[in-house]
Amino acid sequence: LLVDRNVSSRRATELILMSMRNQVTVTEIGEDAIEYSTAYSYDLIVLNPTISDMSGTDVIRQFRANRIEAPIIVISTAIGTDD
């Protein structure tokens, strides 16, 4: 599961994961990510914490509250202190 609102980052990460023969579900919305994670089983979750509808920390808390045990990799495209 790939959760990222940044189009270029999302596409690059998706291509990398697909090049390793992974099936990738993509969303930029935290609520969708939570819904997908309870409906389907994922081996890995890649999350950019600056998603559009809620904080990445809240999404992770909800994953864990729902007993989603997949490893979570948090990525960021922030390049400055204001990002």
Side-chain angles (χ1 to χ4, degrees):
L1 175 60
L2 172 58
V3 189
D4 191 345
R5 75 174 180 169
N6 181 294
V7 175
S8 59
S9 170
R10 183 175 64 234
R11 186 65 183 142
T13 305
E14 181 181 18
L15 289 172
I16 290 167
L17 292 169
M18 290 174 61
S19 74
M20 296 184 288
R21 302 187 196 284
N22 293 293
Q23 294 180 355
V24 183
T25 302
V26 180
T27 185
E28 61 185 67
I29 300 169
E31 286 292 334
D32 287 350
I34 293 164
E35 182 180 328
Y36 297 159
S37 71
T38 58
Y40 305 101
S41 178
Y42 294 99
D43 295 323
L44 176 67
I45 298 169
V46 180
L47 171 73
N48 186 327
T50 59
I51 52 180
S52 56
D53 63 328
M54 57 195 306
S55 78
T57 302
D58 289 339
V59 173
I60 292 170
R61 283 189 183 124
Q62 192 61 52
F63 285 155
R64 296 311 185 217
N66 292 342
R67 301 192 185 275
I68 305 304
E69 296 182 7
I72 300 169
I73 297 175
V74 177
I75 59 171
S76 178
T77 56
I79 57 172
T81 57
D82 293 336
D83 291 332

